[in-house]
Amino acid sequence: VGYSFYRPVATKPGATNEEMKPVIEAQVADMKRLAETLGKPLLLTESGAMSRKGATVKPGNWKEPGEYDGQEQARYLEGVLNA
């Protein structure tokens, strides 16, 4: 089962990896259950978040204004890849 991950993982901008971890792990667990139900492996096909403040809250909202924050983007990707 191929899956693209562009989900919100925080409730506030600037969330730490520790704050995002339980949210990401719960979402990945849902994906794993689906793959197991279908008897297929799970494959993360793509993931991402914009490089702006608030990207962990609304990772794919290209219309949302916000100042550049590459660290928030990096924390999002690190959290997803470590799940």
Side-chain angles (χ1 to χ4, degrees), residues 33-76:
R33 276 192 293 279
L34 174 62
E36 289 171 3
T37 298
L38 297 173
K40 302 288 183 182
L42 179 64
L43 176 65
L44 177 64
T45 57
E46 63 181 356
S47 180
M50 295 173 40
S51 57
R52 64 161 180 78
K53 186 173 183 173
T56 56
V57 179
K58 296 181 180 179
N61 188 346
W62 301 103
K63 296 179 182 178
E64 189 82 18
E67 63 187 65
Y68 173 78
D69 190 342
Q71 290 301 311
E72 186 154 353
Q73 180 187 44
R75 284 192 306 275
Y76 179 94

Side-chain angles (χ1 to χ4, degrees), residues 2-10 20-31 42-50 55-56 59-60 75-81 83:
Y3 196 81
S4 298
F5 193 97
Y6 294 98
R7 293 181 172 202
V9 297
M20 292 185 290
K21 185 176 180 177
V23 177
I24 295 170
E25 287 178 346
Q27 293 178 12
V28 170
D30 287 343
M31 292 182 281
L42 179 64
L43 176 65
L44 177 64
T45 57
E46 63 181 356
S47 180
M50 295 173 40
T56 56
R75 284 192 306 275
Y76 179 94
L77 292 171
E78 181 180 358
V80 171
L81 293 174

